[in-house]
Amino acid sequence: MPDGIGPQTEQTLKNVEAVLAEAGCTLDDALKVTVHLADLDDFAGFDAAYAPFFTDPRPVRTTVGSALLGGILVEIDVIARRRG
């Protein structure tokens, strides 16, 4: 995992993209995103890295502070629906 909230967010979302692709989906199919940040003070850096991955209409997002992430700065889970 790279250092810093921006690079960790980018890598995490690339990992999510890969999982969604295996299911025949993309981030455009995301309905709900839950984000856990080890430090909520990192929100601005996280959001700057997160925003380019999604297009309008963006999925619903919940962001919470989670102190026990085992040394990582961000964890992201996505609920998506394959369209068509």
Side-chain angles (χ1 to χ4, degrees):
M1 186 58 69
D3 289 333
I5 191 64
Q8 282 195 22
T9 299
E10 291 170 6
Q11 183 59 57
T12 301
L13 286 168
K14 288 176 185 176
N15 294 350
V16 170
E17 282 181 314
V19 171
L20 289 173
E22 289 292 320
C25 296
T26 70
L27 286 173
D28 288 336
D29 297 308
L31 302 173
K32 169 79 170 87
V33 177
T34 303
V35 178
H36 297 266
L37 296 177
D39 185 347
L40 286 174
D41 289 340
D42 285 339
F43 183 81
F46 153 76
D47 199 48
Y50 173 94
F53 282 86
F54 293 91
T55 58
D56 289 332
R58 298 179 190 274
V60 173
R61 180 178 75 188
T62 301
T63 304
V64 296
S66 297
L68 301 175
L69 292 181
I72 61 172
L73 301 176
V74 60
E75 180 176 286
I76 300 170
D77 65 78
V78 173
I79 297 172
R81 182 186 67 141
R82 188 172 19 198
R83 301 167 203 265

